[in-house]
Amino acid sequence: MRDFDIVVFGATGFTGKLVAQYLARVGQDRWAIAGRNPDKLQAVLDSLTTSTPPEILVADANDGNALHEVASRTAVVLTTVGPYAKYGDKLVEACAAQGTHYCDLTGEVQWMRRTIDAYHEKAQQSGARIVHTCGFDSIPSDLGTLEVQRVFLEREGHYAEEVGCFVMYASGGFSGGTVASMVNLMEEAADKSVRKIVAHPYALNPTDDKEGADTWDSFAPTYDDLVDAWTAPFLMSSVNTRVVRRSHALLGHPWGPKFRYREVMSMGKGLKGRAKALAVSAALGAAVATLSAEPTRKLAQKTILPEPGEGPSQAQIASGGFLMRVIGRRHGTTHAVDVKASLDPGYGATAIMLCESARCLAYDDLDTPCGVLTPAVAMGESLVSRLNASGVSFTVR
């Protein structure tokens, strides 16, 4: 038996503190917080109100030996240390080698592709489940699709061939850590090979399984008959769509060879909806252009973007929320699942999703494969049940 059930790596960062607070609030025991600065870790520990305080483990993201020691002592490592493409490799390697389950918040497709290639087989052999995107990216999309397909099978006797995920609303803020990950991706995308990986609609699929009915992403405003509204591109769809398609592949293509998945923001009907879709599309395009060019990217970092460790206030987190409507269709029949939370999606709700992912990996009797997986493949309905009981709801419409 290992010393801990869960170790929170990066507990002194903005999201790491939220995670530690959540675990303390739910009465987590047999846990530890880890990072490179013992004084900051002690400050986090002192701030927690809990009858089962965590232990402190000191380890640097670049110290492979220390990370192997941490991984060997726990059932699950939960990490918030990003950008993961800079600081994540050695921890994934340690968990894959030690047979330790792992979950993170990355939305870095190029890095996920590298971990799949480097550690999927090793994790299969050791019995580790390495699970990326266990926050707002990409649990609502991935598990929402799994849920709407479950509903289709129960009610129609077959699966939907087409699934659309529509962001009905999302209210929240950005932290410096999230911005740092986005900036790092833009910097890596100066390499043509990285741009090719990120752009491919099946970027995360097994290497021999990268074809399907979906094509390249569209960034134009569109009227979508599935939601009966004008839509605009969603910033994180380039991550979430790849995750859902990897789930389909790893599950053995149960939804059929013609399965298609898309993800956009719903802007409403009529001329007003069209105008909003045009405005959001233009704003998103301008933001991407700003971060893509080195001079404007550096200027934005100096003047308007938050620094690492900064983020929304507790009041802003509590006042945020999101609703994502996942709609499946086949032969004119539709069913839908709403994924909703009344907290800032990237921080308050994400802390719940990440922590319950770690608890699911630590405690639930999962009859699922090992390797570098997605939330739907690794945890599926077990995680849906946990989230429904914790404030992130999956509701059949």
Side-chain angles (χ1 to χ4, degrees), residues 67 71 82 135 142 155 173 175 209 253 259 261 271 320 326 330 355 393:
L67 295 177
D142 199 31
R155 297 185 178 181
S175 76
D209 187 10
H253 299 280
F259 172 72
Y261 177 81
L271 293 177
V326 187
R330 182 170 179 173
C355 289
S393 64

Side-chain angles (χ1 to χ4, degrees), residues 233-309:
F234 179 47
L235 179 62
M236 299 314 299
S237 66
S238 60
V239 180
N240 299 335
T241 54
R242 278 67 171 164
V243 171
V244 170
R245 292 166 194 154
R246 178 169 176 80
S247 291
H248 185 219
L250 293 182
L251 291 170
H253 299 280
W255 309 325
K258 296 181 180 180
F259 172 72
R260 291 178 291 134
Y261 177 81
R262 63 185 179 275
E263 188 167 296
V264 289
M265 299 178 68
S266 177
M267 295 287 103
K269 301 180 181 182
L271 293 177
K272 185 177 180 180
R274 183 174 183 271
K276 287 174 64 178
L278 286 167
V280 170
S281 299
L284 180 59
V288 171
T290 297
L291 293 178
S292 296
E294 184 176 359
T296 52
R297 180 170 64 239
K298 289 185 175 180
L299 178 62
Q301 286 179 278
K302 290 180 180 179
T303 57
I304 60 174
L305 298 178
E307 294 288 334

Side-chain angles (χ1 to χ4, degrees), residues 198-218:
V198 172
H200 198 293
Y202 293 90
L204 300 180
N205 276 36
T207 54
D208 60 349
D209 187 10
K210 289 193 172 184
E211 294 184 0
D214 284 306
T215 56
W216 306 99
D217 297 327
S218 171

